[in-house]
Amino acid sequence: MRTALSIIALICMVACTTTTTPQTTPAQVSSAPGSTTGFAADLNAFRASQGRGAVQPNAALARAAQAHAEDMARRGYFSHDSPGGPNGDTFVDRARAGGCAMTGGAENIANGQQSEEQVLVAWQNSSGHRRNMLVRGYTQFGLGRSGNIWVLKLAQSC
Protein backbone atom coordinates (compact mmCIF):
# COMPACT_ATOMS: atom_id res chain seq x y z
CA MET A 1 0.00 0.00 0.00
CA ARG A 2 2.76 2.45 0.94
CA THR A 3 4.67 1.68 -2.28
CA ALA A 4 1.53 2.23 -4.38
CA LEU A 5 0.93 5.63 -2.76
CA SER A 6 4.56 6.61 -3.38
CA ILE A 7 4.24 5.72 -7.06
CA ILE A 8 1.00 7.72 -7.40
CA ALA A 9 2.60 10.71 -5.66
CA LEU A 10 5.62 10.52 -7.98
CA ILE A 11 3.38 10.42 -11.08
CA CYS A 12 1.47 13.49 -9.85
CA MET A 13 4.70 15.39 -9.18
CA VAL A 14 6.03 14.63 -12.67
CA ALA A 15 2.76 15.73 -14.30
CA CYS A 16 2.63 18.94 -12.28
CA THR A 17 6.16 20.02 -13.13
CA THR A 18 5.62 19.80 -16.90
CA THR A 19 2.82 22.37 -17.19
CA THR A 20 3.52 25.81 -18.66
CA THR A 21 1.62 29.07 -18.64
CA PRO A 22 0.63 30.45 -22.05
CA GLN A 23 1.82 33.94 -22.99
CA THR A 24 -1.72 35.29 -23.36
CA THR A 25 -3.93 34.47 -20.40
CA PRO A 26 -6.94 36.07 -18.75
CA ALA A 27 -6.05 37.80 -15.51
CA GLN A 28 -6.68 35.58 -12.51
CA VAL A 29 -9.55 37.33 -10.79
CA SER A 30 -11.17 35.52 -7.92
CA SER A 31 -14.88 35.60 -8.68
CA ALA A 32 -16.10 33.72 -5.63
CA PRO A 33 -18.54 35.86 -3.63
CA GLY A 34 -16.90 37.02 -0.44
CA SER A 35 -13.44 36.02 -1.64
CA THR A 36 -10.60 37.53 0.38
CA THR A 37 -7.75 36.91 -2.06
CA GLY A 38 -6.72 38.14 -5.47
CA PHE A 39 -7.32 41.27 -7.47
CA ALA A 40 -10.96 41.61 -6.43
CA ALA A 41 -10.03 41.67 -2.75
CA ASP A 42 -7.16 44.10 -3.31
CA LEU A 43 -9.28 46.44 -5.42
CA ASN A 44 -12.07 46.35 -2.84
CA ALA A 45 -9.63 46.92 0.03
CA PHE A 46 -8.38 50.01 -1.80
CA ARG A 47 -11.94 51.21 -2.41
CA ALA A 48 -12.86 50.59 1.25
CA SER A 49 -9.80 52.55 2.43
CA GLN A 50 -11.21 55.50 0.50
CA GLY A 51 -14.76 55.11 1.81
CA ARG A 52 -16.15 53.39 -1.29
CA GLY A 53 -18.28 50.26 -1.59
CA ALA A 54 -17.16 46.98 -3.07
CA VAL A 55 -17.30 46.08 -6.76
CA GLN A 56 -18.08 42.55 -7.91
CA PRO A 57 -16.47 40.62 -10.78
CA ASN A 58 -18.63 40.60 -13.92
CA ALA A 59 -18.06 38.02 -16.67
CA ALA A 60 -19.24 40.31 -19.49
CA LEU A 61 -16.85 43.07 -18.42
CA ALA A 62 -14.03 40.52 -18.07
CA ARG A 63 -14.71 39.28 -21.64
CA ALA A 64 -14.59 42.83 -22.96
CA ALA A 65 -11.41 43.65 -21.02
CA GLN A 66 -9.72 40.45 -22.18
CA ALA A 67 -10.70 41.05 -25.82
CA HIS A 68 -9.23 44.58 -25.72
CA ALA A 69 -5.99 43.43 -24.08
CA GLU A 70 -5.58 40.69 -26.70
CA ASP A 71 -6.41 43.07 -29.56
CA MET A 72 -3.80 45.61 -28.38
CA ALA A 73 -1.17 42.88 -28.02
CA ARG A 74 -1.97 41.26 -31.37
CA ARG A 75 -2.10 44.50 -33.37
CA GLY A 76 0.67 46.35 -31.53
CA TYR A 77 -1.09 49.46 -30.23
CA PHE A 78 -1.84 50.82 -26.75
CA SER A 79 -4.92 53.04 -26.52
CA HIS A 80 -8.45 53.31 -25.20
CA ASP A 81 -9.53 53.80 -28.80
CA SER A 82 -9.20 50.79 -31.09
CA PRO A 83 -8.15 51.56 -34.66
CA GLY A 84 -11.16 49.87 -36.28
CA GLY A 85 -11.14 47.00 -33.81
CA PRO A 86 -13.21 43.86 -34.21
CA ASN A 87 -15.01 44.57 -30.90
CA GLY A 88 -15.71 48.26 -31.47
CA ASP A 89 -13.74 51.48 -31.33
CA THR A 90 -14.52 52.74 -27.80
CA PHE A 91 -14.61 51.17 -24.35
CA VAL A 92 -18.43 51.38 -24.43
CA ASP A 93 -18.54 49.57 -27.80
CA ARG A 94 -16.25 46.86 -26.42
CA ALA A 95 -18.37 46.45 -23.28
CA ARG A 96 -21.45 45.98 -25.42
CA ALA A 97 -19.62 43.48 -27.67
CA GLY A 98 -18.70 41.54 -24.50
CA GLY A 99 -22.34 41.42 -23.42
CA CYS A 100 -22.58 44.43 -21.09
CA ALA A 101 -24.92 47.27 -22.03
CA MET A 102 -23.27 49.54 -19.48
CA THR A 103 -25.12 52.57 -18.20
CA GLY A 104 -21.94 54.22 -16.97
CA GLY A 105 -18.36 53.10 -16.71
CA ALA A 106 -14.66 53.55 -17.22
CA GLU A 107 -11.63 51.73 -18.57
CA ASN A 108 -8.08 51.65 -17.24
CA ILE A 109 -5.22 50.30 -19.34
CA ALA A 110 -1.61 49.62 -18.41
CA ASN A 111 1.46 48.13 -20.04
CA GLY A 112 4.53 46.53 -18.51
CA GLN A 113 3.39 45.45 -15.06
CA GLN A 114 4.07 41.79 -14.34
CA SER A 115 1.48 41.11 -11.63
CA GLU A 116 -1.97 42.13 -10.47
CA GLU A 117 -0.38 43.83 -7.45
CA GLN A 118 1.94 45.92 -9.65
CA VAL A 119 -0.81 47.05 -11.99
CA LEU A 120 -3.13 47.96 -9.11
CA VAL A 121 -0.39 50.09 -7.49
CA ALA A 122 0.35 51.78 -10.83
CA TRP A 123 -3.32 52.65 -11.27
CA GLN A 124 -3.56 53.90 -7.66
CA ASN A 125 -0.63 56.24 -8.34
CA SER A 126 -2.13 57.71 -11.51
CA SER A 127 -4.74 60.39 -10.80
CA GLY A 128 -7.08 59.53 -13.70
CA HIS A 129 -6.92 55.78 -13.15
CA ARG A 130 -7.30 56.23 -9.40
CA ARG A 131 -10.37 58.41 -9.96
CA ASN A 132 -11.90 55.70 -12.19
CA MET A 133 -11.39 53.02 -9.53
CA LEU A 134 -13.01 55.19 -6.86
CA VAL A 135 -16.26 56.20 -8.57
CA ARG A 136 -18.99 55.61 -5.97
CA GLY A 137 -21.59 54.32 -8.41
CA TYR A 138 -19.50 51.51 -9.87
CA THR A 139 -20.59 48.09 -8.68
CA GLN A 140 -18.94 45.73 -11.18
CA PHE A 141 -15.58 45.19 -12.84
CA GLY A 142 -13.73 42.97 -15.28
CA LEU A 143 -9.97 42.53 -15.64
CA GLY A 144 -8.14 41.30 -18.72
CA ARG A 145 -4.49 40.63 -19.47
CA SER A 146 -2.46 39.69 -22.52
CA GLY A 147 1.24 39.38 -21.73
CA ASN A 148 1.87 42.53 -19.73
CA ILE A 149 -0.97 44.57 -21.24
CA TRP A 150 -3.76 45.07 -18.71
CA VAL A 151 -7.34 46.30 -19.07
CA LEU A 152 -9.73 47.06 -16.19
CA LYS A 153 -13.36 47.85 -17.01
CA LEU A 154 -15.62 49.29 -14.32
CA ALA A 155 -19.37 49.84 -14.59
CA GLN A 156 -22.48 50.82 -12.69
CA SER A 157 -24.35 47.83 -14.11
CA CYS A 158 -24.59 45.61 -17.16
Side-chain angles (χ1 to χ4, degrees):
M1 177 84 166
R2 189 173 194 173
T3 303
L5 290 176
S6 296
I7 291 171
I8 291 171
L10 181 60
I11 291 169
C12 287
M13 288 185 343
V14 170
C16 291
T17 59
T18 60
T19 59
T20 59
T21 302
Q23 179 66 20
T24 301
T25 59
Q28 299 301 310
V29 178
S30 176
S31 59
S35 175
T36 58
T37 61
F39 185 84
D42 293 343
L43 175 59
N44 283 325
F46 170 64
R47 286 178 57 89
S49 75
Q50 304 298 308
R52 304 301 190 267
V55 290
Q56 299 301 315
N58 178 285
L61 291 173
R63 279 191 303 273
Q66 185 64 32
H68 188 47
E70 289 175 5
D71 186 52
M72 286 191 288
R74 183 177 49 255
R75 298 196 301 147
Y77 72 96
F78 184 72
S79 176
H80 292 286
D81 298 318
S82 296
N87 298 308
D89 293 335
T90 68
F91 79 93
V92 173
D93 294 336
R94 290 187 296 273
R96 288 186 180 135
C100 175
M102 67 169 45
T103 57
E107 177 179 82
N108 287 357
I109 60 176
N111 190 358
Q113 293 77 12
Q114 297 179 4
S115 70
E116 292 172 355
E117 294 82 12
Q118 288 177 354
V119 79
L120 185 60
V121 168
W123 284 330
Q124 289 171 347
N125 292 325
S126 164
S127 62
H129 295 110
R130 178 185 184 90
R131 185 172 44 253
N132 286 345
M133 293 190 302
L134 293 175
V135 171
R136 288 186 191 277
Y138 294 162
T139 61
Q140 301 170 356
F141 79 95
L143 181 67
R145 177 185 187 185
S146 181
N148 287 325
I149 296 176
W150 299 83
V151 178
L152 173 65
K153 297 187 81 56
L154 299 141
Q156 292 174 346
S157 64
C158 284

